[in-house]
Amino acid sequence: MKKITFEIKSILKLKLDMVEFPELNSKRKWVQKGIDVLKQHAPGILAYLSKESIMGRLKEYEIILKTERSTKEERLEFFFNIWLKKEKAKRLLFVFIEVLLIPFTGILALLPGPNFFFYVPALLLYYHFTTYRGLRHIDVDELNIEVIHY
């Protein structure tokens, strides 16, 4: 089972950061084409999309939660559950915004060169939607979570 690592920045502010994760790839040809464009022109967006892809498939990974404080594991799992619900709501908002934005990118498709202005919003929509669908079905009790205090 592949491992991903979240670092807990703040429990009170619900801040987590995924610090270790595998790089994104896709079996769908049009998605992989967009990933290749991002790899060349915007590696930061590619890292973001890699995280999005993983968020939608958390059940497939062993999750490591790193924290500085010696907090009980049950409390951290509760915090992780609340954070996942917040992320699910955020993804739904992103999907609505991107659905409204994509029709306007058709005008920019007339520009020569790679259709960067269409691929980025389309990939964001695709991954935000798949992440939202994946987060809807996640139960924290079914996840393989390990807590590490450093």
Side-chain angles (χ1 to χ4, degrees):
M1 185 175 273
K2 296 178 185 178
K3 293 183 180 184
I4 56 172
T5 304
F6 287 93
E7 188 174 305
I8 298 174
K9 303 281 185 184
S10 172
I11 292 179
L12 294 175
K13 296 180 183 178
L14 289 176
K15 288 194 176 185
L16 264 82
D17 189 26
M18 192 182 308
V19 292
E20 295 175 19
F21 53 92
E23 189 176 282
L24 178 66
N25 57 16
S26 178
K27 295 176 184 174
R28 293 190 170 115
K29 189 175 179 180
W30 73 273
V31 175
Q32 188 60 47
K33 183 177 179 182
I35 290 169
D36 294 339
V37 169
L38 286 177
K39 201 177 282 189
Q40 292 176 347
H41 300 289
I45 294 175
L46 180 62
Y48 175 77
L49 291 177
S50 296
K51 292 177 184 180
E52 286 297 310
S53 174
I54 292 167
M55 288 289 292
R57 299 179 289 122
L58 283 177
K59 291 180 182 180
E60 300 173 15
Y61 295 93
E62 181 180 336
I63 301 168
I64 299 171
L65 296 177
K66 284 186 175 181
T67 181
E68 292 178 351
R69 296 182 171 189
S70 58
T71 309
K72 292 180 181 178
E73 190 170 328
E74 296 84 24
R75 183 179 166 121
L76 289 175
E77 287 181 9
F78 176 73
F79 163 72
F80 190 65
N81 190 24
I82 292 173
W83 181 78
L84 285 176
K85 288 180 182 179
K86 180 189 92 162
E87 292 297 310
K88 180 176 70 171
K90 200 162 67 170
R91 293 317 178 279
L92 184 60
L93 178 66
F94 289 162
V95 166
F96 284 131
I97 291 169
E98 289 153 0
V99 164
L100 295 174
L101 180 69
I102 283 182
F104 298 107
T105 63
I107 297 167
L108 298 173
L110 300 173
L111 296 174
N115 197 350
F116 187 73
F117 297 105
F118 174 74
Y119 278 132
V120 172
L123 284 172
L124 287 172
L125 174 64
Y126 174 77
Y127 282 106
H128 284 148
F129 184 67
T130 56
T131 301
Y132 172 74
R133 281 188 15 213
L135 288 175
R136 280 189 343 193
H137 302 291
I138 288 189
D139 182 14
V140 174
D141 295 331
E142 295 175 1
L143 296 176
N144 187 5
I145 298 175
E146 178 184 346
V147 178
I148 297 177
H149 301 282
Y150 63 94

